[in-house]
C-alpha cells in the first residue's frame, strides 16, 4: 500500500494547497505594502517617509511569495501554467513592470536629491497602482474563465478597482498598527473609506462566480452545500461590521487596539480566499483543466515536494524573523 494512498491523487492536492498558501500569504503581505504606496496621494511629504519606513524591512520578503506561487504553478501544473499565463500575458507584463518600478523608486526616493524626490514618489505610486490594478484584472478574468469578451473585460475592470481599494484598505490598517500621532489618525480615515472597496470586491466576486458556472451555482445553492458555505458570508459580514465599529473608536489613548483592524482585514482576505478555493475546486483552469489533469507525473511531483518542504519553511522562518526584529512602531527611514 502506497504511503498516504495514491500519489496521483494526494500529490496534486498537496501542491494545490502549497500554491494556494503562497498566493494567500502574498495577497495579505504584499497587499499591505502595495496599499501603502496607493495611499501616497493622500499623505503629506513628511508622512511619506514614515509610510515607506513602515514597509521597508518587509517588502522584499513579501514578494518572495509571488515567486513561490508562480514557481509551484510552473513545475507542478505546467499545462495550467501555459494556459493561464497565455491568457493573462498582458496584465502579467503590466504587473511585472509595476513591481520593477516600485523596487527602483523605493531605493532611489531615499537617495535622490531633494528636488527629484517627488518624481520618485510618483513612480512609487504608479508602480503600486499598475501592480494592484493588473492583479485585480487577472482575478476577474480568471473568475470569468480566462475569456476576453466585453462583459469579462468590464468585470475585470470592476475587480481591478475593488482589489486596488482593498489593498489600500489593508495598507491603511497596517499604518494604524505601525504608526502613531497624526499619521495614524489619517490612516484611520483612509481605512474608513477603503472598507467599501472590500465590500465592492467581495460583492462582485460573489455575484459573478455562480452566474458564470452552473457547477459553482450548484456548489453554492444546493442542499446541504448551502448550509456548509453559509458561515463564510456570515463571518465576512460580521467582520466588516466589527471593522466599521472599531475604526470609529480608533485611535485609542493607549493604542491597545491598533492591531485589530489589520487582523480583521487579514481574516477577510482569508475568508475570501477559501470561498474562491471552494468554488473552483477541483479546477485549476476554470471549467477546463482539473488539478489532476494538469499535474506533472507523480514521480516529478515527489522530487519537487522534497525541495518545497525545505524552501517554504525557510521563507516562513525568515519572514517571522523579519517581522519579529522590526516589530513596533516605524521610525525614521535612514540609509546612513
Amino acid at each position: 500500500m502506497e504511503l498516504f494512498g495514491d500519489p496521483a491523487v494526494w500529490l496534486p492536492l498537496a501542491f494545490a494547497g502549497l500554491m494556494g498558501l503562497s498566493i494567500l500569504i502574498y495577497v495579505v503581505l504584499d497587499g499591505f505594502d502595495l496599499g501603502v504606496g496607493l495611499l501616497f496621494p493622500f499623505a503629506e511629504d513628511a508622512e511619506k517617509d514614515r509610510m515607506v519606513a513602515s514597509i521597508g524591512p518587509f517588502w522584499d520578503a513579501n514578494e518572495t511569495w509571488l515567486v513561490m506561487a508562480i514557481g509551484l504553478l510552473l513545475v507542478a501544473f505546467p499545462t495550467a501554467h501555459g494556459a493561464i499565463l497565455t491568457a493573462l500575458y498582458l496584465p502579467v507584463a503590466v504587473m511585472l513592470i509595476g513591481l520593477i518600478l516600485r523596487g527602483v523608486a523605493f531605493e532611489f526616493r531615499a537617495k535622490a536629491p531633494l528636488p527629484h524626490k517627488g518624481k520618485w514618489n510618483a513612480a512609487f505610486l504608479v508602480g503600486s497602482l499598475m501592480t494592484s490594478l493588473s492583479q485585480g484584472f487577472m482575478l476577474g478574468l480568471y473568475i470569468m474563465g480566462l475569456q476576453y469578451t466585453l462583459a469579462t473585460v468590464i468585470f475585470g475592470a470592476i475587480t481591478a478597482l475593488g482589489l486596488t481599494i482593498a489593498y489600500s484598505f489593508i495598507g491603511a490598517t497596517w499604518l494604524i498598527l505601525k504608526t502613531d500621532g497624526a499619521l495614524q489618525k489619517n490612516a484611520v480615515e483612509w481605512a474608513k473609506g477603503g472598507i467599501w472597496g472590500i465590500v465592492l470586491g467581495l460583492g462582485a466576486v460573489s455575484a459573478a462566480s455562480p452566474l458564470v458556472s452552473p457547477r459553482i451555482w450548484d456548489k453554492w445553492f444546493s442542499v446541504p452545500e448551502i448550509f456548509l458555505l453559509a458561515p463564510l458570508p456570515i463571518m465576512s459580514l460580521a467582520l466588516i461590521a466589527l471593522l466599521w465599529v472599531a475604526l470609529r473608536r480608533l485611535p485609542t489613548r493607549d493604542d491597545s487596539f491598533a492591531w485589530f483592524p489589520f487582523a480583521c482585514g487579514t481574516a477577510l482576505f482569508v475568508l475570501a480566499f477559501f470561498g474562491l478555493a471552494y468554488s473552483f475546486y477541483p479546477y485549476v483552469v476554470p471549467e477546463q483543466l482539473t488539478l489532476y489533469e494538469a499535474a506533472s507525473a507523480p514521480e516529478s511531483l515527489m522530487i519537487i515536494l522534497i525541495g518545497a518542504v525545505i524552501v517554504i519553511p525557510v521563507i516562513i522562518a525568515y519572514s517571522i524573523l523579519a517581522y519579529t526584529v522590526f516589530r513596533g512602531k516605524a521610525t525614521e527611514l535612514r540609509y546612513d
Side-chain angles (χ1 to χ4, degrees), residues 31 34-36 38-39 163-173 190-191 193-194:
L34 284 168
V36 168
L38 293 169
L39 293 169
L163 186 66
T164 298
I165 300 175
Y167 277 169
S168 71
F169 166 79
I170 200 167
T173 64
W190 298 335

Side-chain angles (χ1 to χ4, degrees), residues 14 23 40 55 78 125 154 167 181 183 206 216 240 242 278 284 292:
I23 293 172
F40 260 36
I55 63 174
L125 167 64
I154 291 174
Y167 277 169
L183 179 54
S206 298
I216 295 178
I240 290 171
L242 285 171
Y278 170 82
V284 64
Y292 310 104

Side-chain angles (χ1 to χ4, degrees), residues 39 42-43 47 50-51 172-193 246-255 258 261 329:
L39 293 169
F42 308 104
E47 294 176 329
R50 198 166 179 204
M51 291 166 69
T173 64
W174 175 255
L175 292 174
I176 294 172
L177 173 64
K178 295 292 289 184
T179 64
D180 51 20
L183 179 54
Q184 187 184 51
K185 292 179 181 178
N186 288 339
V188 170
E189 296 302 315
W190 298 335
K192 287 179 182 177
L247 290 171
R248 293 172 67 86
R249 287 162 171 75
L250 286 171
T252 58
R253 183 172 300 177
D254 61 359
D255 206 37
K329 299 297 183 180

Side-chain angles (χ1 to χ4, degrees), residues 75-158:
V75 298
F77 307 103
T79 307
H81 178 274
I84 293 172
L85 291 192
T86 298
L88 300 177
Y89 186 86
L90 182 58
V92 167
V94 172
M95 179 186 72
L96 293 176
I97 293 171
L99 289 172
I100 293 170
L101 188 59
R102 267 174 52 87
V104 173
F106 187 95
E107 298 296 334
F108 276 57
R109 68 174 300 282
K111 301 174 183 178
L114 190 60
H116 297 160
K117 190 172 183 179
K119 296 178 181 178
W120 289 114
N121 284 339
F124 190 68
L125 167 64
V126 171
S128 302
L129 195 61
M130 290 173 65
T131 304
S132 57
L133 286 173
S134 59
Q135 289 179 2
F137 185 79
M138 286 188 281
L139 173 63
L141 263 290
Y142 183 85
I143 291 170
M144 300 299 283
L146 301 175
Q147 302 296 320
Y148 281 89
T149 66
L150 179 59
T152 60
V153 170
I154 291 174
F155 180 74
I158 293 172

